[in-house]
């Protein structure tokens, strides 16, 4: 099982429209990608803060897609890459860090 | 629902012993924290690479604990903080980025 992480690092003065992201971008992204073979799950989160009281989070928002394999994610994403990437400027000025990960432990199993 | 992210950024020349992390540290951490009220789940992953072929991942490893609330995580973690933090030098020289996050979307629901 693999996880694609799309992390929006905290950048001073950056723009991130959570309303658009949560009501438009992510529902569309999930609708398109979850229909594909190999989709296992998705989570979206908002950074609240660091461990020191009052400290800022390192990232503002993050999205994690879990798929059976990298190939199944790529097959799901590529037909919609232009639409989804083209939508990003509508909710943020932040360039996300995107990487592939191998899931080593998952409890409860999904 | 909240998620605590413990992310080990990729650092040139850093040490990360996945065998110790996966067979000793994380099983002990999960045993201790999952016994507490409010525990919802945990995932552990290893960074494979970025989206450009052959590019390095931004982070080497990451652990995500999901709990009902920040307070329930803190209540679960604090009694074991000294043991778990004291164990970290046994598997890595990397200082992780730790932050609290609000989970906004989770599919399938867990």
């Amino acid at each position: 099982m693999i996880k694609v992480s799309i992390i929006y690092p905290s950048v001073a003065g950056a723009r991130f429209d959570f309303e658009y992201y949560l009501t438009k971008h992510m529902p569309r992204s999930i609708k398109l990608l979850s229909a594909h073979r190999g989709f296992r799950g998705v989570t979206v989160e908002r950074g609240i803060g660091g461990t020191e009281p009052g400290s800022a989070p390192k990232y503002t928002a993050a999205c994690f897609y879990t798929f059976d394999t990298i190939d199944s994610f790529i097959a799901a994403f590529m037909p919609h890459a232009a639409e989804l990437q083209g939508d990003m400027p509508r909710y943020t000025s932040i360039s996300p860090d995107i990487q592939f990960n191998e899931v080593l432990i998952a409890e409860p199993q999904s």
Side-chain angles (χ1 to χ4, degrees), chain A:
Chain A
M1 194 161 72
I2 65 95
K3 193 193 283 182
V4 181
S5 51
I6 302 146
I7 295 179
Y8 299 86
S10 301
V11 176
R15 173 176 58 85
F16 199 98
D17 180 345
F18 273 96
E19 187 182 346
Y20 187 92
Y21 183 59
L22 294 172
T23 65
K24 301 275 196 269
H25 181 81
M26 283 312 308
R28 177 69 177 157
S29 170
I30 293 170
K31 181 181 178 185
L32 293 171
L33 300 192
S34 68
H36 199 276
R37 182 181 53 79
F39 170 82
R40 298 286 286 268
V42 59
T43 63
V44 175
E45 64 203 46
R46 175 183 197 140
I48 299 172
T51 52
E52 297 297 317
S55 63
K58 288 265 186 171
Y59 59 86
T60 296
C63 166
F64 301 92
Y65 269 108
T66 308
F67 271 75
D68 285 340
T69 63
I70 290 177
D71 285 349
S72 60
F73 172 80
I74 289 172
F77 177 72
M78 286 309 291
H80 310 293
E83 175 187 341
L84 294 175
Q85 291 175 335
D87 193 45
M88 293 175 59
R90 294 200 181 91
Y91 62 87
T92 190
S93 59
I94 302 171
S95 180
D97 295 328
I98 305 175
Q99 76 175 51
F100 294 109
N101 306 280
E102 179 187 4
V103 177
L104 301 169
I105 296 173
E107 298 189 13
Q109 304 266 335
S110 66

